[in-house]
């Protein structure tokens, strides 16, 4: 079957690998999209923890990550990944970025060769500087036209509560992007499409690092002027890196760039914003990690972003300052003056 045929099947089986807040929320989006169109869909979530899986199956909730949000009956869960992937024509990946490659090597024999694989992840792999769509294509041996990416201002709890949001589905094949966008359109979830996979992924990756910086500023009780300045110049850093990799400026000015950046930098629901705020309040990185119930991808991917920028000769002073804090080379008290440390020049000169 072609990717389009898989995505237009009414009775498709969908596997969602990852039972955290965003994986569970997106499973709900897919279920609600099916309900809205009268389609029959079996949506299976794979999770590591028995108690989470059991609660999804018996109470139709995932209280650890989504509190009291009710899940549709069409969603089931299992700790057995082979059962979740059996017969799945669509595979949604929502696991921590740094664990993706070894997990895909384990899962490859279980993934249908004609499956469409969708990444919900926003991270850059340490050591290779690979984007998640690249890791998926490499490890599963599938062409890029069968790999899609979902990104944008996607704070899971708000979407789980059916608060209206827009997002982006990106794929090198426009038909695949359009088909999956239709597949995941729910009354409260409106996806746009793009063929700029690079721009969409880079927007989702760098915003995590910038959100750490903004969170640190908030933890240090800096004002809105400071935070707005960091967000705006962070967007410029994101644009420089995306353009250097072949992405498009209009993507970074859209939902997957500016939209995601604003949401992640300003919301207390953002894991990266929260982690930065805790660092700014004086917690050590180890204490922050212990405090967080889910991965703050900016902590893991920050160095990979900094390394990639160095290889490409892209100036990213905010990213460099955040990485220095994470590595213990710079204190949060010294961060402020470094955030806007570029030499004087025209604002338009990226």
């Amino acid at each position: 079957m072609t990717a389009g045929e898989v995505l237009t099947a009414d009775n498709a089986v969908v596997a969602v690998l990852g039972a955290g807040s965003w994986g569970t929320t997106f499973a709900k989006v897919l279920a609600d999209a099916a309900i809205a169109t009268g389609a029959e869909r079996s949506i299976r979530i794979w999770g590591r923890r028995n108690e989470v899986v059991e609660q999804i199956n018996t109470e139709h909730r995932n209280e650890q990550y989504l509190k009291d949000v009710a899940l549709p009956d069409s969603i089931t869960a299992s700790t057995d990944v082979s059962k979740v992937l059996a017969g799945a024509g669509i595979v949604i990946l929502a696991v921590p970025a740094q664990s993706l490659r070894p997990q895909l090597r384990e899962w490859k024999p279980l993934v249908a060769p004609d499956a469409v694989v969708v990444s919900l992840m926003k991270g850059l792999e340490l050591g290779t500087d690979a984007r998640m769509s690249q890791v998926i294509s490499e490890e599963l041996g599938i062409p890029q036209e069968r790999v899609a990416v979902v990104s944008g201002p996607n704070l899971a709890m708000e979407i789980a509560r059916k608060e209206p949001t827009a997002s982006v589905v990106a794929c090198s094949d426009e038909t695949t992007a359009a088909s999956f966008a239709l597949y995941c359109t729910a009354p409260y979830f409106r996806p746009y499409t793009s063929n700029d996979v690079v721009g969409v992924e880079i927007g989702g990756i760098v915003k995590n690092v910038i959100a750490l910086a903004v969170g640190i500023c908030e933890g240090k009780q800096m004002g809105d002027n400071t935070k707005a300045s960091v967000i705006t110049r962070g967007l410029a850093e994101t644009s420089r890196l995306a353009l250097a990799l072949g992405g498009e400026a209009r993507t970074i000015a859209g939902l997957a760039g500016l939209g995601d950046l604003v949401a992640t930098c300003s919301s207390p629901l953002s894991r990266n914003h929260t982690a930065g705020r805790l660092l700014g309040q004086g917690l050590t990185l180890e204490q922050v990690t212990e405090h967080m119930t889910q991965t703050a991808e900016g902590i893991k991917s920050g160095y990979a972003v900094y390394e990639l920028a160095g290889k490409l000769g892209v100036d990213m002073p905010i990213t460099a300052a955040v990485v220095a804090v994470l590595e213990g080379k710079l204190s949060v008290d010294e961060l402020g003056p470094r955030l806007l440390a570029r030499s004087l020049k025209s604002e338009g000169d990226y």
Side-chain angles (χ1 to χ4, degrees):
M1 295 175 70
T2 66
E5 289 172 334
V6 170
L7 293 168
T8 54
D10 286 341
N11 60 350
V13 174
V14 182
V16 179
L17 304 185
S21 58
W22 188 209
T24 306
T25 294
F26 200 74
K28 183 178 185 297
V29 169
L30 292 172
D32 288 340
I35 292 168
T37 60
E40 294 183 9
R41 241 174 242 175
S42 174
I43 300 168
R44 307 170 188 158
I45 299 176
W46 169 79
R48 290 182 178 276
R49 300 177 57 186
N50 284 316
E51 59 269 30
V52 171
V53 166
E54 182 68 16
Q55 188 176 61
I56 291 173
N57 289 330
T58 60
E59 301 178 30
H60 304 294
R61 299 182 188 279
N62 185 344
E63 290 184 357
Q64 178 174 350
Y65 298 114
L66 297 181
K67 297 183 180 179
D68 58 351
V69 174
L71 302 175
D73 293 347
S74 57
I75 297 175
T76 59
S78 175
T79 57
D80 186 341
V81 72
S82 64
K83 290 182 179 179
V84 172
L85 285 169
I90 301 169
V91 178
I92 313 294
L93 295 171
V95 299
Q98 304 310 322
S99 67
L100 178 63
R101 192 180 294 273
Q103 288 182 306
L104 287 180
R105 288 175 180 172
E106 176 185 343
W107 296 337
K108 181 178 180 180
L110 306 173
V111 177
D114 61 350
V116 173
V117 181
V118 181
S119 170
L120 304 184
M121 300 163 292
K122 300 178 179 181
L124 202 63
E125 188 178 47
L126 289 166
T128 67
D129 302 330
R131 292 174 284 109
M132 296 297 98
S133 66
Q134 293 174 308
V135 175
I136 292 167
S137 184
E138 290 169 9
E139 290 300 327
L140 295 182
I142 59 177
Q144 285 288 337
E145 55 264 29
R146 300 190 80 90
V147 180
V149 173
V150 175
S151 193
N154 298 148
L155 296 166
M157 182 57 77
E158 292 187 0
I159 297 173
R161 291 172 178 160
K162 298 186 177 182
E163 297 177 16
T165 191
S167 192
V168 179
V169 174
C171 182
S172 60
D173 182 85
E174 294 181 355
T175 300
T176 301
S179 296
F180 188 71
L182 183 63
Y183 198 87
C184 67
T185 296
Y188 54 89
F189 188 80
R190 203 288 192 193
Y192 290 78
T193 60
S194 173
N195 61 1
D196 180 17
V197 178
V198 171
V200 168
E201 286 192 290
I202 291 300
I205 292 164
V206 180
K207 60 94 183 184
N208 287 329
V209 184
I210 306 305
L212 286 172
V214 173
I216 291 172
C217 291
E218 187 164 306
K220 295 297 295 179
Q221 298 185 326
M222 296 180 186
D224 291 335
N225 286 339
T226 303
K227 290 182 282 187
S229 298
V230 173
I231 290 171
T232 306
R233 294 314 303 167
L235 184 68
E237 289 193 12
T238 308
S239 297
R240 288 197 293 271
L241 184 61
L243 292 172
L245 290 166
E248 300 176 12
R250 64 178 181 176
T251 301
I252 305 304
L255 288 164
L258 177 60
D260 200 6
L261 181 66
V262 169
T264 307
C265 288
S266 60
S267 174
L269 294 174
S270 162
R271 287 170 281 175
N272 292 280
H273 177 274
T274 299
R277 178 174 51 78
L278 294 173
L279 287 170
Q281 289 173 346
L283 274 67
T284 66
L285 183 57
E286 291 74 19
Q287 290 171 327
V288 169
T289 303
E290 291 175 3
H291 181 88
M292 303 289 290
T293 58
Q294 294 193 84
T295 302
E297 285 290 356
I299 293 176
K300 299 290 186 180
S301 298
Y303 183 78
V305 172
Y306 176 68
E307 182 180 64
L308 180 59
K311 291 177 181 177
L312 296 171
V314 175
D315 188 21
M316 300 184 72
I318 297 174
T319 298
V322 170
V323 169
V325 169
L326 295 176
E327 293 183 333
K329 298 176 180 177
L330 190 72
S331 72
V332 291
D333 292 325
E334 298 171 305
L335 180 68
R338 294 278 293 272
L339 291 177
L340 306 176
R342 294 186 90 203
S343 57
L344 298 180
K345 58 181 66 183
S346 168
E347 183 186 21
D349 183 4
Y350 276 21

